Amino acid sequence: MQNTFALRGNLVYTPACGELALHPHSYLICENGAVAGIFDTLPARYAGIPVEDHGDKLILPGLVDLHAHAGQFAYRGLGMDLELLDWLEQNAFPEESKFADPHYAEAAYRLFADALTRSATTRFCLFATLHRPATLRLMALLEAAGQRGFVGKVNMDRNSPDTLRETTAESLAETRRWLEESADFVHVRPMLTPRFIPSCTDELMAGLGRLQREFGAPMQSHLSENLSEIAWVAELCPGTRFYGEAYARHGLFGGACPTVMAHCVWSGEEERALMKENGVFIAHCPQSNMNVSSGIAPVRQFLREGQHVGLGSDVAGGAHLSIFRAMTDAIQASKLRWRLVDQDLPALTMPEVLYMATKGGGAFFGKVGSFEPGYELDAVVLDDAALPTTRPCTLAERVERVVYLSDGKPCAKYVAGRRLF
């Protein structure tokens, strides 16, 4: 059969939030880039197909990063003693200004693209910077590497340094040109990216809403991350009941506009209700929330409400690109919230955060993030032989140890059935 092969190994995935499916030493069949099934032995109808036998290694669905800033990769791990708005002024804005230089952008984005490709992340939503040529170059590098996801040219026309601000007309014209030029990419697609409401005027947001309706592009931004940010939005947007309305009134908050909102640490009941109604995806970024002192998101509440929740590394607010690190941080942060803030919201479990890191976030891309039949075959192969222990471990325990102890780099990676390395 053409375009059909099998992976053999210890298969683990999450068909539902909190549920682990364990298939030791089994065959995962891929047909035309999608999962055809899991079998204990190779069925006769697949006799003769190529089998990539990974022995006793672990095979998990590829991980999904719903929120990261590619233009901040160079300074990850720096300035972690600052709060959000000061951190932006002292770190993010000066670094992102450098991407006006195509040589700098080339070097920086090559480092980022290589690190992302070698990670366990197979789908992503990324912020670039406001520079159109540099954003197109990032998309080209990721496309050439075989990755799949969304990249956004950032929009900023107010409350930004002179070196990192466009006029409203320029921002909209550059965004239109970028959307048109992005048509050449097949697997790395454009995503409208107003940085956040404080850096975007109503006129710019209205124009982005028109572009969204014309081009059908999805949208990403930040929401209710920090208390001082929320107070600022209330001043800038009088008449809005909550932060999310500043997006929604321009048609940029779910519904016909597929939307990812990062953080949502302080989203109130009305905001969360509109997010659920409109199908807005929440990118939970626990490391960033701790590093820039934003708070602890009520993720258990999101899950109880039936919200769409995935994970984000939020480099460089988060210092690590690994979504495995985001998983452990999500568990630890939820424990602190349960102990210190709300004992009605129990801590998250490993099967729950694995779901968020795969099928939960993967749903933004369609049938992605699971080994159920019909899902695109995104997979990572992980070797835990480098994590020796005298204790015999179950398959579930081996996965937990990899998440907590490994460097997060797979020894093989597949995206939509294509092996990257």
Side-chain angles (χ1 to χ4, degrees):
M1 300 179 191
Q2 286 188 330
N3 301 318
T4 301
F5 66 93
L7 301 180
R8 185 178 182 276
N10 295 301
L11 308 174
V12 180
Y13 66 100
T14 55
C17 188
E19 177 185 339
L20 273 184
L22 305 169
H23 296 270
H25 303 293
S26 299
Y27 293 86
L28 176 64
I29 307 296
C30 177
E31 291 184 8
N32 298 315
V35 176
I38 294 175
F39 305 93
D40 294 334
T41 59
L42 198 63
R45 67 182 181 275
Y46 294 115
I49 67 170
V51 176
E52 299 184 24
D53 192 340
H54 292 287
D56 196 40
K57 297 182 179 68
L58 303 168
I59 304 178
L60 273 63
L63 305 185
V64 177
D65 192 339
L66 280 185
H67 182 66
H69 293 257
Q72 297 177 4
F73 186 70
Y75 73 88
R76 64 198 186 283
L78 299 176
M80 298 288 91
D81 54 346
L82 299 171
E83 284 197 53
L84 173 64
L85 298 180
D86 291 334
W87 180 85
L88 289 172
E89 291 288 342
Q90 295 186 36
N91 287 286
F93 293 161
E95 173 64 23
E96 291 184 27
S97 298
K98 298 176 183 178
F99 285 76
D101 178 353
H103 300 291
Y104 187 87
E106 176 76 20
Y109 281 152
R110 279 192 177 276
L111 286 174
F112 175 83
D114 182 66
L116 188 69
T117 300
R118 292 290 167 183
S119 77
T121 297
T122 54
R123 306 283 171 138
F124 49 78
C125 295
L126 301 176
F127 280 52
T129 64
L130 60 76
H131 310 96
R132 176 185 50 80
T135 302
L136 289 167
R137 185 58 186 147
L138 172 62
M139 297 172 76
L141 289 168
L142 294 169
E143 178 101 357
Q147 295 276 40
R148 296 196 176 199
F150 294 102
V151 171
K153 177 214 167 301
V154 175
N155 298 100
M156 304 167 68
D157 71 339
R158 69 173 173 186
N159 296 322
S160 308
D162 292 343
T163 56
L164 206 65
R165 183 174 63 248
E166 307 161 297
T167 67
T168 304
E170 178 186 14
S171 187
L172 292 172
E174 284 289 280
T175 300
R176 172 179 288 278
R177 183 177 175 185
W178 165 69
L179 288 167
E180 293 169 346
E181 293 172 336
S182 296
D184 293 337
F185 298 111
V186 177
H187 301 307
V188 178
R189 304 298 301 145
M191 192 174 202
L192 294 173
T193 307
R195 186 182 203 105
F196 65 162
I197 292 298
S199 67
C200 298
T201 61
D202 286 346
E203 292 77 14
L204 176 55
M205 294 299 292
L208 291 174
R210 291 191 294 271
L211 287 174
Q212 195 285 321
R213 291 184 287 277
E214 179 179 349
F215 287 89
M219 200 279 288
Q220 62 182 346
S221 195
H222 300 87
L223 181 68
S224 299
E225 178 179 3
N226 178 281
L227 290 174
S228 57
E229 168 206 16
I230 294 168
W232 195 10
V233 171
E235 294 177 5
L236 293 169
C237 303
T240 55
R241 294 170 298 161
F242 48 84
Y243 195 158
E245 277 198 340
Y247 296 104
R249 65 186 182 180
H250 301 294
L252 297 172
F253 201 68
C257 175
T259 299
V260 173
M261 284 292 173
H263 307 301
C264 309
V265 174
W266 301 99
S267 292
E269 186 175 346
E270 287 184 291
E271 186 164 88
R272 298 197 312 274
L274 186 59
M275 290 163 63
K276 182 179 179 182
E277 179 184 344
N278 289 358
V280 172
F281 276 71
I282 298 169
H284 174 45
C285 307
Q287 187 177 143
S288 172
N289 295 161
M290 293 183 283
N291 283 341
V292 297
S293 305
S294 294
I296 309 172
V299 181
R300 171 67 62 197
Q301 187 167 21
F302 296 157
L303 295 176
R304 285 179 178 176
E305 292 172 349
Q307 305 278 4
H308 296 294
V309 188
L311 293 175
S313 64
D314 196 19
V315 164
H320 298 271
L321 196 59
S322 170
I323 295 299
F324 286 143
R325 177 62 185 266
M327 292 166 63
T328 62
D329 287 337
I331 292 173
Q332 292 166 352
S334 72
K335 289 179 178 179
L336 290 175
R337 185 175 180 94
W338 169 73
R339 175 62 69 191
L340 301 175
V341 180
D342 189 345
Q343 295 193 358
D344 291 330
L345 296 178
L348 298 171
T349 65
M350 179 59 65
E352 288 171 330
V353 296
L354 180 58
Y355 176 87
M356 291 161 56
T358 55
K359 190 176 180 179
F364 187 76
F365 304 86
K367 298 190 77 172
V368 169
S370 179
F371 290 154
E372 297 164 80
Y375 274 70
E376 294 186 64
L377 192 139
D378 288 8
V380 289
V381 181
L382 303 155
D383 188 358
D384 61 344
L387 305 172
T389 176
T390 55
R391 171 176 173 160
C393 293
T394 66
L395 189 51
E397 288 173 334
R398 289 176 62 188
V399 171
E400 185 172 17
R401 293 183 79 245
V402 162
V403 170
Y404 271 94
L405 301 178
S406 78
D407 63 4
K409 296 179 180 179
C411 53
K413 179 174 176 176
Y414 304 79
V415 178
R418 175 189 172 190
R419 183 167 178 167
L420 270 59
F421 58 84

